[in-house]
């Protein structure tokens, strides 16, 4: 059940994709929607020293705080105009903070929501808000819907691709996606090198039978690909199958590098062509 949604409205990149998607989801699920936007304060002026130099730095810091608040408020004004017209339940939460503090605050806030909606990271943009979506994935503990920056309009996924490798994260992502899965017209379980990597008792065939018993219309596809080609293979299959949403686990390298995203997850975030729900 999705009744509480968080959307991160970017302040340094176009926010229209996540605004349109989050509002359409709130309307479809009759859910409350909270919008957060972070205006960033430079870490170089976040700490004040004593004396005359400290007073000068404090003045600059106050100006940065004011501008940061203005940026966050301006981004939310666009969201609020659309949300008001859609007649949904919503609230706006502007935030001014250093990048690290913003990541901590929004990552913590996201833990209370049924779903977080964020904009796909864009590698060509070196902005503070470009890194926040990945921080939310790593630290929220819940499902995060990544919206491609090329996406336009309302979001109503009817054909869903489930990336399945039998892992705990894949299972968690599927459970988190159940509200979407239950309303889909068709599902396709996507297995890459399934015969080698999927545990026998969590095989793609067993997944298909499990979901079919719930009355869900599902088929499966198993494709062989090298590790470097997994992400392109998934996206190619999504295009061939006319998938309008993907579900997958958001993987890290290992327990020793929990803060780093795995290669397939990172590549998918950089090149995604359809909205993708991930759970870490």
């Amino acid at each position: 059940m999705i009744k509480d949604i968080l959307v991160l409205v970017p302040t340094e990149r176009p926010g229209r994709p996540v605004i349109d998607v989050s509002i359409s989801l709130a309307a479809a699920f009759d859910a409350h929607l909270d919008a957060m936007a972070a205006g960033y304060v430079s870490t170089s002026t976040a700490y004040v020293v004593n004396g005359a130099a400290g007073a000068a730095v404090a003045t600059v810091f106050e100006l940065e705080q004011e501008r940061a608040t203005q940026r966050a408020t301006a981004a939310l004004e666009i969201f609020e105009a659309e949300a008001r017209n859609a007649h949904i339940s919503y609230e706006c939460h502007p935030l001014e903070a250093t990048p690290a503090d913003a990541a901590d605050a929004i990552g913590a806030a996201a833990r209370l929501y049924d779903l977080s909606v964020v904009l796909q990271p864009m590698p060509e943009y070196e902005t503070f808000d470009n890194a926040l979506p990945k921080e939310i994935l790593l630290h929220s503990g819940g499902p995060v819907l990544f919206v491609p920056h090329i996406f336009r309009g309302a979001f109503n996924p009817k054909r869903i691709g489930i990336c399945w490798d039998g892992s705990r994260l894949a299972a968690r992502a599927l459970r988190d996606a159940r509200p979407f899965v239950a309303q889909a017209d068709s599902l396709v379980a996507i297995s890459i090198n399934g015969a080698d990597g999927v545990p026998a008792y969590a095989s793609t065939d067993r997944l298909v039978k499990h979901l079919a018993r719930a009355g869900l219309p599902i088929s499966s596809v198993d494709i062989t690909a090298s590790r470097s080609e997994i992400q392109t293979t998934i996206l190619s299959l999504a295009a061939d199958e006319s998938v309008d949403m993907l579900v997958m686990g958001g993987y890290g390298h290992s327990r020793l590098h929990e803060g780093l995203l795995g290669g397939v997850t990172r590549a998918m975030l950089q090149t995604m062509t359809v909205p993708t729900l991930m759970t870490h």
Side-chain angles (χ1 to χ4, degrees):
M1 181 181 296
I2 295 177
K3 287 299 178 184
D4 234 357
I5 301 173
L6 174 68
V7 58
L8 176 62
V9 180
T11 57
E12 300 175 337
R13 298 182 294 154
R16 177 61 64 178
V18 291
I19 290 173
D20 289 348
V21 166
S22 62
I23 289 175
S24 63
L25 287 176
F29 287 108
D30 191 23
H32 176 81
L33 178 59
D34 278 336
M36 295 188 74
Y40 298 95
V41 178
S42 171
T43 54
S44 63
T45 56
Y47 302 99
V48 179
V49 296
N50 294 325
V57 172
T59 299
V60 173
F61 183 50
E62 289 176 2
L63 287 173
E64 279 212 20
Q65 284 184 307
E66 183 178 344
R67 290 171 185 152
T69 302
Q70 289 172 350
R71 287 194 296 273
T73 302
L76 290 174
E77 284 175 353
I78 300 172
F79 163 83
E80 186 166 20
E82 297 297 328
R84 190 185 307 115
N85 289 337
H87 304 290
I88 63 169
S89 171
Y90 72 91
E91 291 182 19
C92 294
H93 304 275
L95 175 69
E96 55 85 7
T98 64
D101 288 344
D104 288 343
I106 298 174
R111 295 168 191 162
L112 301 179
Y113 292 85
D114 302 318
L115 177 70
S116 298
V117 180
V118 300
L119 187 65
Q120 167 199 14
M122 300 163 70
E124 67 272 24
Y125 279 75
E126 296 197 3
T127 63
F128 292 132
D129 72 352
N130 203 34
L132 262 185
K134 289 181 285 187
E135 292 295 322
I136 292 174
L137 173 65
L138 290 169
H139 299 297
S140 68
V144 180
L145 181 66
F146 287 86
V147 181
H149 59 84
I150 60 173
F151 192 88
R152 296 294 181 273
F155 181 52
N156 184 27
K158 290 302 180 183
R159 186 162 176 81
I160 298 176
I162 301 167
C163 300
W164 185 253
D165 62 2
S167 67
R168 179 189 66 82
L169 279 176
R172 173 66 185 275
L174 176 57
R175 290 191 184 96
D176 286 340
R178 280 298 185 123
F180 295 100
V181 167
Q183 296 182 6
D185 291 337
S186 61
L187 309 169
V188 55
I190 302 170
S191 177
I192 310 295
N193 306 325
D196 298 327
V198 178
Y201 283 95
S203 68
T204 307
D205 287 342
R206 284 178 175 262
L207 171 68
V208 169
K209 291 178 181 178
H210 169 69
L211 293 179
R213 280 196 293 268
L216 299 172
I218 183 167
S219 61
S220 65
V221 178
D222 194 346
I223 297 177
T224 300
S226 66
R227 182 161 184 81
S228 63
E229 296 175 334
I230 291 177
Q231 160 262 337
T232 54
T233 299
I234 292 173
L235 292 179
S236 177
L237 181 61
D240 292 342
E241 296 285 333
S242 299
V243 165
D244 46 28
M245 176 180 171
L246 286 168
V247 175
M248 64 183 294
Y251 296 86
H253 283 298
S254 70
R255 291 181 181 176
L256 296 178
H257 299 86
E258 191 66 20
L260 300 177
L261 292 175
V264 174
T265 303
R266 187 169 56 252
M268 181 65 73
L269 291 180
Q270 291 174 352
T271 60
M272 65 173 57
T273 51
V274 297
T276 301
L277 186 145
M278 291 187 180
T279 299
H280 177 68

